[in-house]
């Protein structure tokens, strides 16, 4: 079975840094995706980690530890437009999603 | 423009009235999938298809049907909708399941069953 856990909500101030954790226990694992989803819109791809370590893409970074079943998404220099839900998804043969973390950025 | 197109965007129907939500992709993707999204439960997979004429159940297939007669189209059929199928539905596609390719999502269909 699949078990993917993320915090439900996080709040941070504009310009700050927020770290969204994702832990997983899944029957298969080929990598881990992070998606961003604004309210009422489709999820959009942010990052993908296959190997252990940190992947950096501008203000967003994602980390993976396969031995610990753990990943995080780091959002730096937060902007108001970063207010959204962030979904982690384990890439097995059918891509299983966590419930998502809603991030609210305050001015 | 590369995209996944779902129709309709919004649909209100009554219990028991058959409906179809269409999904089409223009990226020549082999893999297509349907998800429903409910508050607190995240995206749950309904059905997926790894290629033409190949479909399989996801985590919540009850009450739904799909077909994959052509590579680009993957309609979702609700033969007898019930109120517990009120949800936000997303169709998605990816190159295939062996490559580490991300899912591309359609814009969603908000379904209300009364």
């Amino acid at each position: 079975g699949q078990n993917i856990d993320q915090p439900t909500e996080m709040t941070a101030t504009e310009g700050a840094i927020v770290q969204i954790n994702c832990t997983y226990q899944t029957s298969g694992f080929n990598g881990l995706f992070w998606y961003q989803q604004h309210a009422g819109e489709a999820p959009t791809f942010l990052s993908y980690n296959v190997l252990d370590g940190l992947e950096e893409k501008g203000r967003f970074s994602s980390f993976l530890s396969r031995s610990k079943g753990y990943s995080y998404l780091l959002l730096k220099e937060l902007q108001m437009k970063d207010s959204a839900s962030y979904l982690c998804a384990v890439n097995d043969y059918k891509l299983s999603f966590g419930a998502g973390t809603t991030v609210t950025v305050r001015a | 423009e590369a995209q996944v197109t779902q129709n309709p965007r919004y649909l209100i129907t009554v219990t028991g009235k058959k409906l179809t939500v269409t999904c089409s992709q223009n990226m020549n993707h082999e893999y297509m999938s349907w998800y429903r999204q409910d508050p607190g439960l995240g995206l749950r997979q309904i059905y997926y298809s790894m290629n033409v004429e190949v479909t399989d159940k996801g985590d919540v297939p009850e009450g739904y049907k799909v077909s994959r007669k052509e590579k680009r189209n993957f309609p979702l059929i609700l033969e007898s909708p019930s109120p517990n199928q009120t949800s936000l539905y997303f169709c998605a596609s990816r190159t295939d399941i062996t490559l580490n390719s991300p899912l591309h999502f359609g814009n969603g269909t908000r379904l209300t069953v009364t």
Side-chain angles (χ1 to χ4, degrees), chain A residues 1-7 21-29 31-37 41-48 85-101, chain B residues 31-38 40-48 58-60 88 90-94 101-106:
Chain A
Q2 320 290 34
N3 189 19
I4 302 169
D5 289 317
Q6 306 177 231
N21 296 325
C22 173
T23 58
Y24 61 90
Q25 289 177 302
T26 57
S27 53
F29 184 84
L32 190 141
F33 288 97
W34 283 97
Y35 283 82
Q36 180 190 58
Q37 185 179 24
E41 297 182 8
T44 54
F45 168 71
L46 287 178
S47 68
Y48 183 55
S85 285
Y86 292 86
L87 316 176
C88 70
V90 170
N91 188 24
D92 52 19
Y93 67 96
K94 61 185 181 77
L95 203 64
S96 300
F97 285 84
T101 300
Chain B
Y31 181 93
M32 296 185 75
S33 182
W34 276 102
Y35 292 85
R36 61 176 290 174
Q37 188 172 37
D38 303 288
L41 297 177
L43 283 162
R44 292 180 293 167
Q45 190 177 50
I46 302 170
Y47 270 93
Y48 65 96
D59 298 316
V60 288
L88 178 60
F90 287 103
C91 179
S93 70
R94 65 196 296 201
S101 57
L103 276 173
H104 298 261
F105 285 86

Side-chain angles (χ1 to χ4, degrees), chain B residues 19-35:
Chain B
L19 66 91
T20 299
V21 184
T22 63
C23 175
S24 180
Q25 51 92 5
N26 62 1
M27 296 170 279
N28 202 36
H29 285 171
E30 293 183 354
Y31 181 93
M32 296 185 75
S33 182
W34 276 102
Y35 292 85

Side-chain angles (χ1 to χ4, degrees), chain A residues 45-72:
Chain A
F45 168 71
L46 287 178
S47 68
Y48 183 55
N49 293 71
V50 177
L51 302 176
D52 288 355
L54 188 68
E55 296 275 345
E56 297 189 76
K57 270 188 181 184
R59 294 189 298 113
F60 293 1
S61 303
S62 56
F63 172 84
L64 175 67
S65 169
R66 289 173 298 172
S67 62
K68 294 182 180 176
Y70 169 68
S71 174
Y72 68 73

